Amino acid sequence: MTELDHIGAALDVQSTAAAPPVPESRSRVARLAWKILPPVVFFVLFVAFLYLVSYVLLSPERQFLLPPPHEVVQNGLFDWPNLHEQLIALKDTTKVSLIGLLIAFVIGTALAILMSQAEWIERSLYPYAVIVQVTPILAIVPLIALWFGYDVQARVVVCVLISIFPIITNTLFGLLTVDKNLHDLFTLQGAGRLTRLWRLQLPHAIPDIFVGLRVSAGLSVIGAIVGEFFFRQGTPGLGRLLDVYRARLESDLLMSTLLFCCLLGIAVFLAVGVVGNRLTRKWFEQGERA
Amino acid sequence: MSGTFAREQPSGRPEQGEQVIAFRSAGKVFPDGTEAVRDVSFTLRRGEFLSVVGPSGCGKSTLLRMASGLGPHTSGEVEAEAANIGFVFQDATLLPWRTVRKNVELLAELDGASKAERQRIAADAIRLVGLEGFEGHYPKALSGGMRMRTSVARALTMKPPLFLLDEPFGALDEITRGTLNEELQRLFVSERFAAIFITHSISEAVFLSTRVLVMSQRPGRIVESFDVPFGYPRSPELRFDPEFGRLSGEVSQALKAGYE
Ligand SMILES: Nc1ncnc2c1ncn2[C@@H]1O[C@H](COP(=O)(O)OP(=O)(O)OP(=O)(O)O)[C@@H](O)[C@H]1O
Ligand SMILES: [Mg+2]
């Protein structure tokens, strides 16, 4: 989660992490450079380090442990059959994680709304949400396989389980932290529960809902990959490929697939951030509720 | 135009109408045992502008919430006749996801008014507080004073016979505060509502009110009540009038005595 947050900050998506202070007087180019340069420099150093390990530290017969980056790119990204295989897997994993995220969003928001309506509901349900969150996903996966089989549904269920908690907590937080004076204003006007929820609590919770969604987006991708990795059946996704390449000791392809996993996570994370920003930037003052 | 001029026109005082609120030995003890307000009695009629001053924490907000029914009294009697109340909170209390126009329309919307009706009402109120041209702005893009005016405009839309204002201008600079005071007074003269106005500023209290109540330390009691003899409209220069100064001095004395 924290890694994803940093990526968000570096690419300037609405983020809870504070951006480094940049003097306003600098030109656009300078500001852009200030944002992009540090990660680029780090990337170059990191690649150099990989080469160092691959060529200098590892003996030739053990080089397969860490193939040099250009081989990863060549075999993983510029070899059509290999690339094709990975792209199909990417599509499959993307589908599963997005469906999972959508279901988690619908169920999570509904549960949060329910919990916001009465303390007894919150107290009855919340402990179970926590239990779902703290149970290691791998411990439940066998059960899921037993109940839902090994195909898409099972993987979607894993996604939902792993990503629902941040949606519940953030939405609930948003619904319950409406200013008391605003509630009083609605009370004076004789507003009922539904009016209050629809006109006051839900709009107020929108920024929080997106904070939760952003975290969940990353988790949902993880869920999809973990599910595939474990189930080893049905249409092959990225997780399945990882397992296959590992078995074949094809570490270059293993790494390029890993790259796709990261890119998918980042893409989903950023997309949710952009949508959230679009919806709220006109009125939401960042940090006003920090 | 001087304050003396204003004072020589007692006919400028709004007609006093029917009773809007009556407190009879009303008190409030919170569930945790804190006694915030004790034995408060007063009546408020339409056309009366009542200011309340008192030490911080003496129970002024509590008094206002008792008057509005938001925080009911626990002893004595509170009679409130107003069908709807214009409550202006200490901070603007706007919905940040709504534009100025939509914020001002809120109460009419909650009351189920038609769209055309809402828009007409909102446009009127926005004009009254001088916010034309800012209808499409979100609260985040407004100054503190403009937010406050939006809040006042919203309260105005229901044409409430009773206004409850909890230190509405407390966070503003002197000049903006002065301007809003004059706007509020203009509205008072034209709409003839009844108002309870909480403030920490004695000059604001005397300038706006027909009557000033001074409260003591918690538990808040009313230690003194001053009738303000000036007619309306009052010009800003009234503040430099010797009579204004004398009255402010008396209120200040009573306030100090309340601290002991
Ligand atoms: N919900 C509550 N429960 C218990 N005590 C409360 C509650 N609300 C207020 N009080 C107490 O009642 C007293 C009066 O509070 P109130 O907010 O009415 O003061 P105030 O005169 O408006 O002060 P200020 O001028 O600072 O706004 C305070 O001592 C406060 O601690
Ligand atoms: Mg107060």
Side-chain angles (χ1 to χ4, degrees):
Chain A
M1 255 174 283
T2 36
E3 298 94 295
L4 288 171
D5 265 345
H6 288 305
I7 291 159
L11 297 174
D12 195 32
V13 170
Q14 174 190 340
S15 163
T16 40
V22 181
E24 290 213 13
S25 55
R26 291 207 215 165
S27 71
R28 271 183 68 102
V29 181
R31 276 209 302 268
L32 208 64
W34 173 252
K35 252 180 223 160
I36 290 178
L37 220 52
V40 168
V41 168
F42 178 79
F43 180 74
V44 170
L45 288 177
F46 182 66
V47 171
F49 172 75
L50 291 181
Y51 273 111
L52 182 80
V53 175
S54 186
Y55 282 120
V56 181
L57 296 183
L58 290 173
S59 55
E61 63 274 15
R62 294 179 67 222
Q63 205 192 42
F64 74 92
L65 288 176
L66 188 70
H70 67 268
E71 265 177 37
V72 171
V73 173
Q74 240 162 37
N75 301 340
L77 306 183
F78 287 99
D79 179 275
W80 177 245
N82 285 343
L83 180 63
H84 186 66
E85 191 174 37
Q86 293 174 82
L87 284 181
I88 287 180
L90 177 66
K91 194 181 119 212
D92 188 66
T93 305
T94 308
K95 193 182 80 187
V96 169
S97 55
L98 287 186
I99 294 175
L101 184 63
L102 186 70
I103 295 176
F105 170 66
V106 171
I107 298 179
T109 310
L111 284 176
I113 288 174
L114 211 58
M115 289 186 207
S116 75
Q117 290 307 300
E119 214 188 315
W120 67 265
I121 303 181
E122 185 187 341
R123 282 205 265 152
S124 336
L125 295 182
Y126 199 80
Y128 299 100
V130 174
I131 288 173
V132 168
Q133 161 74 3
V134 298
T135 310
I137 195 74
L138 284 174
I140 332 178
V141 161
L143 255 190
I144 295 172
L146 209 60
W147 291 341
F148 296 94
Y150 293 90
D151 213 345
V152 179
Q153 308 95 291
R155 283 187 264 158
V156 168
V157 170
V158 174
C159 286
V160 172
L161 285 180
I162 205 173
S163 65
I164 200 168
F165 190 72
I167 293 176
I168 296 177
T169 45
N170 282 286
T171 305
L172 188 59
F173 176 81
L175 293 173
L176 293 182
T177 51
V178 176
D179 183 33
K180 181 165 167 294
N181 285 342
L182 282 174
H183 271 301
D184 284 346
L185 187 71
F186 275 63
T187 306
L188 281 175
Q189 217 54 32
R193 237 168 225 277
L194 269 181
T195 311
R196 217 177 271 265
L197 179 68
W198 192 244
R199 308 256 161 118
L200 183 59
Q201 292 174 288
L202 271 175
H204 178 266
I206 289 174
D208 302 292
I209 291 176
F210 273 94
V211 169
L213 263 181
R214 239 162 12 117
V215 176
S216 296
L219 289 175
S220 174
V221 171
I222 295 174
I225 292 167
V226 166
E228 291 161 6
F229 195 86
F230 184 85
F231 295 135
R232 293 181 195 173
Q233 278 180 43
T235 48
L238 290 174
R240 185 82 183 291
L241 276 191
L242 286 175
D243 194 41
V244 170
Y245 294 146
R246 179 194 55 81
R248 293 196 217 141
L249 290 184
E250 288 175 321
S251 54
D252 43 356
L253 295 182
L254 192 57
M255 290 194 132
S256 64
T257 304
L258 189 64
L259 213 61
F260 277 110
C261 293
C262 293
L263 287 179
L264 176 58
I266 294 172
V268 177
F269 176 85
L270 288 185
V272 172
V274 166
V275 173
N277 247 352
R278 274 279 150 80
L279 281 179
T280 62
R281 80 176 152 204
K282 273 205 212 132
W283 56 267
F284 184 56
E285 290 184 63
Q286 287 214 21
E288 78 180 345
R289 267 181 285 150
Chain B
M1 213 203 285
S2 75
T4 323
F5 174 71
R7 206 164 71 240
E8 281 162 6
Q9 291 197 317
S11 56
R13 171 178 286 258
E15 300 282 312
Q16 291 198 358
E18 71 276 23
Q19 170 189 308
V20 183
I21 281 193
F23 274 54
R24 281 188 273 280
S25 297
K28 168 97 184 174
V29 180
F30 283 105
D32 67 356
T34 311
E35 187 182 11
V37 172
R38 179 189 290 176
D39 193 23
V40 167
S41 302
F42 68 88
T43 52
L44 180 73
R45 299 178 171 282
R46 203 158 173 159
E48 267 192 300
F49 198 109
L50 186 68
S51 282
V52 179
V53 294
S56 180
C58 74
K60 303 184 293 298
S61 297
T62 308
L63 187 83
L64 221 52
R65 293 176 61 81
M66 287 160 74
S68 68
L70 283 172
H73 56 287
T74 53
S75 64
E77 266 179 70
V78 173
E79 225 174 82
E81 309 284 349
N84 63 68
I85 296 170
F87 206 116
V88 179
F89 298 88
Q90 182 156 5
D91 49 0
T93 314
L94 302 175
L95 304 180
W97 54 89
R98 285 180 174 234
T99 59
V100 167
R101 181 189 290 114
K102 284 290 192 180
N103 261 295
V104 175
E105 281 179 18
L106 177 74
L107 302 184
E109 191 182 317
L110 293 180
D111 254 22
S114 75
K115 192 164 179 199
E117 176 78 356
R118 290 201 307 258
Q119 284 172 344
R120 192 185 55 73
I121 293 174
D124 280 352
I126 287 172
R127 189 158 25 76
L128 269 174
V129 299
L131 273 179
E132 296 126 308
F134 292 95
E135 290 92 342
H137 283 54
Y138 286 87
K140 139 178 155 171
L142 298 178
S143 74
M146 290 156 86
R147 286 181 205 178
M148 226 39 245
R149 280 189 274 169
T150 309
S151 181
V152 172
R154 179 181 59 198
L156 279 170
T157 53
M158 301 314 286
K159 293 247 180 274
L162 172 63
F163 258 97
L164 302 176
L165 304 110
D166 194 354
E167 295 182 47
F169 310 137
L172 305 179
D173 71 83
E174 272 301 310
I175 305 293
T176 313
R177 192 174 182 143
T179 314
L180 287 180
N181 277 342
E182 280 148 43
E183 282 174 18
L184 183 59
Q185 191 183 102
R186 197 164 42 74
L187 290 172
F188 173 58
V189 173
S190 67
E191 307 286 329
R192 315 224 151 177
F193 44 75
I196 303 182
F197 185 85
I198 309 285
T199 178
H200 280 292
S201 157
I202 292 170
S203 100
E204 190 173 68
V206 176
F207 179 70
L208 287 171
S209 316
T210 55
R211 191 145 50 105
V212 179
L213 299 183
V214 179
M215 283 179 84
S216 68
Q217 287 275 46
R218 190 170 65 84
R221 286 141 295 162
I222 291 172
V223 287
E224 201 121 21
S225 164
F226 296 90
D227 281 314
V228 183
F230 311 113
Y232 294 88
R234 298 172 179 174
S235 87
E237 286 78 38
L238 176 64
R239 292 192 173 89
F240 309 117
D241 187 275
E243 177 68 10
F244 188 95
R246 195 188 54 73
L247 191 54
S248 302
E250 281 178 29
V251 174
S252 178
Q253 285 295 321
L255 193 55
K256 278 201 193 102
Y259 268 90
E260 266 119 49

